[in-house]
Amino acid sequence: MSDDKKTSELSRRGFIKVSAAAMAAASSPMFFTKGAWAANEFRNNPGDASSVKFGFNVPQTGAYADEGADELRAYQLAVKHINGEGDGGMLNTMKPLSLKGNGILGKKLEYVTGDTQTKSDAARASAKRMIEKDGVVMITGGSSSGVAVAVQGLCQEMGVVFMAGLTHSNDTTGKDKRRYGFRHFFNAYMSGAALGPVLEKEMGKERRAYHLTADYTWGWTQEESIKNTTEALGWETVAAVRTPVGAGDFSQYITPVLNSGADVLILNHYGKDMINSLTQAVQFGLRDKQVNGKNFEIIVPLFSRLMAQGAGDNIKGILGSTNWHWSLQDDGSKAFVKSFWQEYGFPPSQAAQTCYVQALLYADAVERAGTFYPPEVIKTLEGHTFDGMGNGPTEYRAADHQCFKDVLVVRGNENPSSQFDLLKVEQIVPRSQVEYDPAIFGGDLGPYEV
Amino acid sequence: MDAIILQLLNGLDKGGAYALIALGLTLVFGTLGVVNFAHGALFMLGAFCAVSIQSLLTISKQVKDESITFFDAYKEQPYLEIWWGDTGTAIIDWAVPLSIFLAIPIMLLIGVAMERGLIRHFYKRPHAEQILVTFGLAIVIQEIVKSFFGANPIPTPSPEIVAGSANIGLLLGLGESVVYPWWRLVYLLFSGIVIFAVFAFLQFTTFGMVVRAGMQDRETVGLLGINVERRFTVVFGIAAVVAGLAGVMYAPILPPDYHMGMDFLVLSFVVVVVGGMGSLGGAVSAGFLLGILQSFASMTEVKSIIPGIDQIIIYLVAVVILLTRPRGLMGRKGVMED
């Protein structure tokens, strides 16, 4: 009996011990390699493939096709440099740098392209196609905030990182920010903050401003940001008139400015609208006008050299802000301008620079993370600080995935030395002046795992 | 008062462009019975005649850009400026007015080629098919232009001498704030002259008489032994020239891009419908009327009462006119009613 009892006790203890040991043994590989296990599960994992693909989603048709073409040129150059071809461009100046010039994690970088048409639905459809059919590990590009917000939402749902191209609305990294979306380009708030002191210095504290605003999300956020800045200076806002996108002839919106008592016209327009409204405002003699004993001034808060080309001589002397300009003399800018100009015969636009940098930053983050697994890449990008890419020391703020860096205040060049020399950098506004609390725009980044 | 005068001028100016495009549309519709959706593309091609002349005059030599020091970069300098200095610059400055002389033969040729090559095969086909083929043609023309000139608008400035604005307030004894761009005044005058010329041509020439007779009763004119078709081909060419000239002169106001024709086409169709299908006088008066109404509707005072009225006024007027006068302001009975 006693033997039986002993045997029984031993057996139970033994069973528990063995079970515990077995469970621990069985679970330990899972516990220690949890990341690796999940990493094998993620969408479009390149695994052992010898190559990996990026999806360049840019406007190839429609009003922003020229800007899209410039973005694509920059991406093609970035692919070359990442694969170790060409002169290396910013890979020679980027700090810190993990890329080795042999692709990403030893895999050759390839790409597919999609056409956003500058329409949210078309942009989402082409991004979806590139993710599902072409198996891209990252989507990047675009030339509109509406598109950026739409594609960013899709990328979050599908678990693919989105590196935004040219998008200037506060919403992209504000109320519509996403864990999988990153923006290198500056935003409307920063334009306002950068322009404020310059406007005060140039135009004083007693001004009456009249806004003409493109009637959609980007226009509204820019109007709000610039109004906040100018009203804080003491300026009065006489009127803020919304104009339909693509109005063409703005004469009926410009003539009321003449009799409004305003002495500053702020054009919250981009692209074709900016070209047309600025051209027509100058034709109406606004720049030669004197109101309230002061010279009438026009401000275009978001400038682009490509768009400035469309406005011709009308851009001369007009103040605005921009993310980057090819005439900057830092090593990163010079390296990029040289590569781009020698490849294509003309200097890159600000859209090209932001796209080129975005492609490099993602590739470098993967190299550093040692995996394409998106949550790890995202964590590597969050809070990442870097330099040598044309904008001075820059940080990808973890709280909203917005890059913080210096902002350029520019003026239309009065005496351009060539057809590319349209904007003159007036001031490089330090990062500290354009920083803000991420809480002011709200929004929620969402989860790492989707 | 100042604001009203300015908006009236804006309206007349806009109306001038609408009227010129609608005039051509109506002319084609009244004679050939074709609804030509490619007519906006002709307006755009006219503007690109100005761009082409400007590009020809500014053919450039690659010269080293001395401002770039860290590698060899090149910029462009027009041969005309290199050869003739200030005279060359002055010729480039007058590119838009010079384009008028080129635009007339080119647009006539394009119009005739379009009619002979494509549109005449669709005379007896239903209107829906005519609309589809001409709309398709418009897209093809747009894409061709885009492949050559890109998607960005191209600045095509007016000559320096009329680049500024005229102080019409002082001339009329109003305030100093009533200024209006010289080029827009030139455009208004130009559209008036072209409209007058087209009417005079139709009214006072034998050719015009036959065309008018053909518009009334094509069959009878044909039975009289007159080759109406050949004359109508010329009419299509004239309509193309009118649209083209409207485009050339509009280039300094709206830097041309490949899509500008489409933007005007829809409005011009509304103008034709409001004026009355096939009525030339109707097209012109409706063009000016809608231009003026659109300008007044954009006034801040009006928009504060009815927000967004500036964007719908034209369509609102069209609805009202069609409800009260289904044939438009000056429409004739029997046109497009068979």
Side-chain angles (χ1 to χ4, degrees), chain A residues 231-408:
Chain A
E231 284 173 4
L233 295 178
W235 292 20
E236 183 191 340
T237 305
V238 177
V241 175
R242 303 278 160 90
T243 61
V245 177
D249 186 7
F250 285 87
S251 59
Q252 71 265 37
Y253 301 105
I254 292 168
T255 41
V257 182
L258 296 168
N259 299 308
S260 64
D263 45 35
V264 178
L265 173 64
I266 298 171
L267 295 173
N268 299 308
H269 288 150
Y270 189 67
K272 225 163 84 170
D273 281 356
M274 187 278 267
I275 293 171
N276 292 334
S277 63
L278 177 60
T279 302
Q280 292 160 15
V282 173
Q283 281 173 357
F284 268 90
L286 285 179
R287 299 217 56 212
D288 312 319
K289 235 171 117 65
Q290 285 260 330
V291 182
N292 310 326
K294 303 179 187 94
N295 283 335
F296 195 100
E297 301 285 352
I298 302 175
I299 301 164
V300 177
L302 176 60
F303 253 147
S304 139
R305 183 182 56 80
L306 280 181
M307 302 303 171
Q309 271 173 355
D313 285 349
N314 301 309
I315 207 89
K316 287 181 177 176
I318 307 274
L319 268 177
S321 66
T322 191
N323 191 55
W324 177 83
H325 193 254
W326 65 268
S327 64
L328 287 172
Q329 289 300 308
D330 62 285
D331 290 344
S333 298
K334 277 162 80 176
F336 177 52
V337 170
K338 186 179 171 196
S339 292
F340 194 97
W341 203 323
Q342 288 184 332
E343 183 88 10
Y344 303 112
F346 44 84
S349 62
Q350 62 170 350
Q353 188 256 356
T354 203
C355 289
Y356 177 86
V357 169
Q358 285 281 68
L360 254 51
L361 283 174
Y362 173 83
D364 189 66
V366 172
E367 195 79 33
R368 256 179 306 127
T371 172
F372 286 94
Y373 178 51
E376 290 303 321
V377 179
I378 292 169
K379 284 173 193 161
T380 312
L381 276 171
E382 286 176 340
H384 179 52
T385 53
F386 55 94
D387 199 357
M389 303 193 89
N391 304 93
T394 307
E395 181 192 358
Y396 244 129
R397 187 160 72 177
D400 55 1
H401 295 187
Q402 170 69 51
C403 264
F404 281 85
K405 54 193 169 7
D406 300 345
V407 171
L408 305 183

Side-chain angles (χ1 to χ4, degrees), chain B residues 28-34 115-116 120 123-124 130 210-233 332:
Chain B
V28 169
F29 182 74
T31 50
L32 306 168
V34 173
E115 198 272 341
R116 288 286 92 182
R120 82 186 169 113
Y123 286 159
K124 297 196 169 65
Q130 294 173 352
V210 174
V211 171
R212 277 187 295 127
M215 285 171 85
Q216 293 286 337
D217 190 342
R218 184 179 184 154
E219 205 172 9
T220 310
V221 177
L223 286 172
L224 289 171
I226 296 169
N227 187 346
V228 187
E229 278 216 356
R230 182 165 297 167
R231 284 178 168 76
F232 283 179
T233 304
R332 287 178 295 125

Side-chain angles (χ1 to χ4, degrees), chain A residues 75-315:
Chain A
Y75 283 134
Q76 284 160 344
L77 202 60
V79 170
K80 263 186 159 185
H81 294 165
I82 291 168
N83 283 332
E85 298 158 20
D87 65 4
M90 278 189 191
L91 290 188
N92 299 311
T93 58
M94 181 180 174
K95 286 177 204 135
L97 175 72
S98 301
L99 289 166
K100 300 177 184 75
N102 62 345
I104 308 174
L105 296 178
K107 297 182 196 300
K108 188 172 190 285
L109 178 59
E110 293 171 351
Y111 65 89
V112 288
T113 67
D115 182 7
T116 66
Q117 301 172 33
T118 320
K119 293 176 189 156
S120 301
D121 50 349
R124 275 177 73 100
S126 70
K128 200 160 188 280
R129 190 255 305 157
M130 289 192 284
I131 293 169
E132 288 179 343
K133 298 233 168 74
D134 301 313
V136 300
V137 290
M138 184 270 278
I139 295 279
T140 179
S143 195
S144 147
S145 293
V147 163
V149 168
V151 174
Q152 184 166 271
L154 174 90
C155 286
Q156 175 81 25
E157 287 161 27
M158 302 193 81
V160 170
V161 172
F162 172 63
M163 304 294 281
L166 193 153
T167 155
H168 188 246
S169 170
N170 294 334
D171 294 347
T172 312
T173 46
K175 79 173 175 57
D176 295 315
K177 66 188 172 194
R178 291 288 178 271
R179 182 70 63 191
Y180 280 70
F182 289 85
R183 169 163 67 181
H184 170 263
F185 205 69
F186 72 147
N187 61 27
Y189 178 94
M190 295 172 169
S191 284
L195 280 168
V198 180
L199 295 181
E200 185 180 3
K201 192 174 147 214
E202 294 241 339
M203 302 173 198
K205 289 186 169 187
E206 285 175 22
R207 282 280 184 171
R208 306 188 75 212
Y210 194 107
H211 287 255
L212 287 181
T213 303
D215 201 0
Y216 74 107
T217 165
W218 168 75
W220 304 330
T221 66
Q222 175 156 303
E223 180 192 290
E224 190 192 1
S225 293
I226 303 293
K227 250 167 85 174
N228 288 345
T229 303
T230 54
E231 284 173 4
L233 295 178
W235 292 20
E236 183 191 340
T237 305
V238 177
V241 175
R242 303 278 160 90
T243 61
V245 177
D249 186 7
F250 285 87
S251 59
Q252 71 265 37
Y253 301 105
I254 292 168
T255 41
V257 182
L258 296 168
N259 299 308
S260 64
D263 45 35
V264 178
L265 173 64
I266 298 171
L267 295 173
N268 299 308
H269 288 150
Y270 189 67
K272 225 163 84 170
D273 281 356
M274 187 278 267
I275 293 171
N276 292 334
S277 63
L278 177 60
T279 302
Q280 292 160 15
V282 173
Q283 281 173 357
F284 268 90
L286 285 179
R287 299 217 56 212
D288 312 319
K289 235 171 117 65
Q290 285 260 330
V291 182
N292 310 326
K294 303 179 187 94
N295 283 335
F296 195 100
E297 301 285 352
I298 302 175
I299 301 164
V300 177
L302 176 60
F303 253 147
S304 139
R305 183 182 56 80
L306 280 181
M307 302 303 171
Q309 271 173 355
D313 285 349
N314 301 309
I315 207 89

Side-chain angles (χ1 to χ4, degrees), chain A residues 66 248 252-253 255 259 283 417, chain B residues 10 14 75 151 177 252 298 310:
Chain A
D66 282 7
Q252 71 265 37
Y253 301 105
T255 41
N259 299 308
Q283 281 173 357
S417 66
Chain B
N10 277 336
K14 232 185 261 290
K75 62 177 182 179
S177 61
S298 309
D310 53 327

